[in-house]
Amino acid sequence: MRKLGIIGGMSWISTRAYYERINKSVQKRAAPLASPPLLIESLDYAPIAAAKNADDWDAIAATLVESARRLESAGAEGLVIAANAMHKVYDRLTEAVSIPVLHIADSVGQAMEDADCKSAALLGTRFVMTESFYRQRLVGHGVDLLPPDPGDVELVDGIIYKELMLGRVTRDAERALKTIITMKEKDGAEAIVLACTELELVVDTDANVLPVYDSTDIHCRAAADWILG
């Protein structure tokens, strides 16, 4: 098996999910007692969040680049970023290391392309929902994305940063996401992309009016594929 480096801590909740899911996926396909060789650097999210709020993506890129280089030096043969929004600095990170970095949106886009899904609504943080760095990757796989609704952007972004990243899961948030997903179906979406690693805490991916593409689950399966070669 190839050794994978994980840049985590954004949040620790998502990092925990990555560790568990990659292990489970590898164990299902390899020997019963197998566990993948993983290197995890869990970053302090507080200064990253402060830089994000100040729109200082140069500082964020520098932090992630340093982490990627440390993981490569420690023996990682490939990398994943255990967060969706941090892929905004993906290009700068890949330029700084000589090992592959598995892009989360490419993994999701390939899964949607394989399923012949042509239309979807994207749910995540404000950056993911409104900026091109994530949306264009999905469009490149033939997926037509509904335009972001400003009200939905504010609501979902608030739930993520004020509740889910602090470990708070409420019935109000579950109801809000269910309503949004129902409205997206009425707007013509064929599927939902959960483009935030914490959103699965308030969205039942198996019990909705639309198919749900969970970016965390898909990215972890792609990571297991890569580990197993």
Side-chain angles (χ1 to χ4, degrees):
M1 292 188 283
R2 291 185 284 192
K3 185 177 292 186
L4 180 71
I6 301 174
I7 302 175
M10 306 167 290
S11 65
W12 67 264
I13 295 167
S14 66
T15 309
R16 176 182 62 186
Y18 267 74
Y19 180 76
E20 181 177 2
R21 292 186 184 195
I22 291 172
N23 270 279
K24 284 183 175 179
S25 185
V26 168
Q27 193 172 47
K28 283 180 182 177
R29 296 164 52 188
L33 295 179
S35 54
L38 300 173
L39 295 172
I40 302 173
E41 179 160 84
S42 188
L43 301 172
D44 178 6
Y45 187 62
I48 296 173
K52 178 183 67 65
N53 292 335
D55 203 30
D56 187 358
W57 287 93
D58 287 337
I60 293 171
T63 298
L64 266 66
V65 162
E66 290 171 4
S67 178
R69 285 173 170 164
R70 285 192 293 269
L71 288 167
E72 182 178 21
S73 295
E77 299 169 80
L79 296 172
V80 293
I81 307 168
N84 283 270
M86 294 301 114
H87 282 74
K88 184 177 169 73
V89 299
Y90 173 86
D91 290 340
R92 281 190 269 185
L93 194 151
T94 57
E95 291 169 0
V97 295
S98 60
I99 55 178
V101 184
L102 282 64
H103 198 295
I104 192 168
D106 282 341
S107 300
V108 175
Q110 187 60 57
M112 298 177 80
E113 185 178 344
D114 292 344
D116 199 30
C117 180
K118 301 295 186 184
S119 172
L122 183 63
L123 299 180
T125 63
R126 178 182 291 104
F127 297 102
V128 169
M129 292 176 74
T130 62
E131 297 188 17
S132 62
F133 73 93
Y134 199 101
R135 299 177 68 90
Q136 284 183 348
R137 296 268 180 171
L138 299 182
V139 171
H141 286 274
V143 181
D144 182 29
L145 293 172
L146 268 62
D149 177 273
D152 292 345
V153 171
E154 291 303 315
L155 178 59
V156 176
D157 191 78
I159 289 172
I160 292 167
Y161 284 112
K162 296 175 183 177
E163 298 182 26
L164 301 182
M165 293 191 74
L166 301 177
R168 292 180 54 211
V169 179
T170 66
R171 288 290 298 157
D172 286 344
E174 292 174 358
R175 284 191 288 265
L177 267 296
K178 196 169 188 67
T179 298
I180 289 172
I181 291 172
T182 300
M183 293 305 298
K184 296 304 179 187
E185 183 202 26
K186 293 179 179 178
D187 291 339
E190 297 176 9
I192 297 293
V193 177
L194 282 191
C196 168
T197 47
E198 291 85 13
L199 274 179
E200 64 175 1
L201 296 173
V202 289
V203 175
D204 188 339
T205 57
D206 297 319
N208 266 289
V209 295
L210 292 173
V212 176
Y213 289 86
D214 179 356
S215 64
T216 306
D217 197 53
I218 293 169
H219 202 202
C220 289
R221 290 202 307 269
D225 290 343
W226 181 87
I227 288 168
L228 294 169

